[in-house]
Amino acid sequence: MKRLGAAIALISLSFGQSAQAQGCLDGQTLTAARLHEFEAMMMAVSLRCRAIGVDISAGYEAMGATHRPAFAAAGRHLRTFFADVPHAYDAYATRLGNRYGGGATDPAHCRSFDAVARNLAAAPGVAALGKVVFAMVTEPRISGATCQKP
């Protein structure tokens, strides 16, 4: 059931529902944060792997192309969410980059992430992406109170 909810949230982001600047983290914002964090993680891992001589950029770029609409929708949603505070989105994105940019890297780690990227590249649609994103980013690193349900 949680996976179905993830897919529904990803679909709603993909069709451009705008964020409500409520000052709290609703389900769409948390999903957007997971997607953005996953994208940042994969980019950082790709760069770290290249630095040790293991190039996984083809899989990473193919994954990005396959799921570009979902990643773009997440970015738009977060920019809207952070719009009231100057540079808040940039600070958030920088924190994520710094977090994942300094991780441990070895060839086995790179091969694992390459497999994730290639599998997602071959699996268009939000269901596969949502399953992986929710498994790999269980608690997105975004600050704020969770919205109260009515």
Side-chain angles (χ1 to χ4, degrees), residues 82-101:
F82 287 117
D84 291 341
V85 179
H87 310 292
Y89 175 82
D90 294 334
Y92 164 72
T94 299
R95 281 192 308 275
L96 288 180
N98 290 340
R99 165 137 177 34
Y100 290 108

Side-chain angles (χ1 to χ4, degrees), residues 22-127:
Q22 301 172 4
C24 62
L25 301 171
D26 62 356
Q28 286 186 334
T29 302
L30 289 169
T31 297
R34 280 185 173 98
L35 273 164
H36 187 72
E37 187 166 338
F38 175 76
E39 185 181 24
M41 175 195 324
M42 294 300 289
M43 178 181 63
V45 169
S46 178
L47 294 170
R48 289 191 340 249
C49 289
R50 185 181 308 163
I52 66 163
V54 181
D55 188 1
I56 67 168
S57 62
Y60 165 71
E61 290 169 9
M63 177 203 69
T66 298
H67 297 287
R68 183 171 292 123
F71 292 133
R76 284 190 307 272
H77 186 96
L78 290 171
R79 285 182 188 280
T80 301
F81 177 80
F82 287 117
D84 291 341
V85 179
H87 310 292
Y89 175 82
D90 294 334
Y92 164 72
T94 299
R95 281 192 308 275
L96 288 180
N98 290 340
R99 165 137 177 34
Y100 290 108
T105 307
D106 61 49
H109 185 92
C110 295
R111 286 190 296 276
S112 294
F113 275 85
D114 189 39
V116 168
R118 288 180 186 279
N119 287 336
L120 283 174
V126 296

